[in-house]
Amino acid sequence: MQNSDKKIGSSVKQSLFCLKLPWDIHKNSRNSSDCTFEAPWLFKSLQNVGSMTFNFINSISINAGNSQSKILKSKTIWNPKEQGEAEHRAFASALASGKGATVIEFYSPKCRLCNSLLNFVVEVEGRNSDWLNIVMADAENDKWLPELLHYDIRYVPCFVLLDKNGRALAKTGAPSSRLHVIAGLSHLLKMKRPPKSIS
């Protein structure tokens, strides 16, 4: 009886430092004095608050980005050859349309600045669709190599303004910020924008 009384009344003393290696935490230990890797209650509560915040922000961004998700869902994923051919067909169609100007946007799928401009470029084309076509050209795709060399494209994003005959008139400078690129594109458009007619 005395033995069992000692076990019930005594508590196992934990050491201040845990010398157990992280890859050993899931091994069953026979020694009751081994330390465990339980996080303190403060860290657990912070982790819960963090995960709740992440879920809340994620739900807001999903609801707010429905229009963008429709665009992304409708986008077909092609291999580089198909992508280059589709972009070239769009370029040929833009030049054949007879509109006053065509802008080629040389971009990279890996470029965050390029990706951030996508909605802006679509909006600009929509507002000026009576006289302007904008064509996307993946600068990493070998199909665009002749144009990259011809227009001396050394950075992305780069916008090249073409007249209705396909002659290059100007291009934007090396991008230093999103605002700088937008200003450069606006300047290109001012060069070819038809004068507003007075009704």
Side-chain angles (χ1 to χ4, degrees), residues 10-133:
S10 67
S11 63
V12 177
K13 186 176 181 181
Q14 292 283 332
S15 63
L16 291 175
F17 299 101
C18 184
L19 298 175
K20 194 171 187 181
L21 300 173
W23 48 84
D24 292 333
I25 63 172
H26 297 296
K27 289 185 180 178
N28 291 332
S29 173
R30 292 190 180 117
N31 188 354
S32 61
S33 66
D34 280 350
C35 57
T36 60
F37 276 106
E38 290 219 13
W41 65 270
L42 178 63
F43 294 135
K44 286 181 182 178
S45 62
L46 288 176
Q47 181 181 11
N48 290 339
V49 169
S51 67
M52 286 188 313
T53 305
F54 174 77
N55 290 337
F56 176 72
I57 291 172
N58 198 20
S59 69
I60 289 173
S61 66
I62 288 172
N63 292 337
N66 279 341
S67 61
Q68 184 178 1
S69 65
K70 288 177 186 173
I71 293 170
L72 295 176
K73 286 179 184 175
S74 67
K75 185 178 179 183
T76 306
I77 298 175
W78 292 324
N79 65 39
K81 182 180 178 184
E82 293 170 332
Q83 177 79 24
E85 289 171 357
E87 289 174 345
H88 269 278
R89 283 192 304 272
F91 182 50
S93 174
L95 291 176
S97 72
K99 290 186 180 179
T102 299
V103 171
I104 305 175
E105 178 191 357
F106 289 95
Y107 72 97
S108 167
K110 298 172 188 168
C111 169
R112 288 191 302 174
L113 178 57
C114 302
N115 291 328
S116 76
L117 292 168
L118 182 61
N119 290 336
F120 174 75
V121 170
V122 169
E123 182 184 326
V124 166
E125 184 177 25
R127 278 190 276 142
N128 300 292
S129 61
D130 55 328
W131 66 274
L132 175 70
N133 287 312

Side-chain angles (χ1 to χ4, degrees), residues 124-172:
V124 166
E125 184 177 25
R127 278 190 276 142
N128 300 292
S129 61
D130 55 328
W131 66 274
L132 175 70
N133 287 312
I134 298 181
V135 178
M136 307 286 284
D138 182 354
E140 293 183 15
N141 193 316
D142 293 340
K143 292 255 180 205
W144 286 103
L145 187 59
E147 288 82 2
L148 289 168
L149 295 171
H150 180 73
Y151 299 123
D152 193 31
I153 305 301
R154 297 172 188 260
Y155 46 82
V156 293
C158 183
F159 294 86
V160 178
L161 175 67
L162 307 175
D163 66 9
K164 64 181 178 180
N165 299 317
R167 288 188 303 259
L169 301 175
K171 72 177 183 178
T172 56

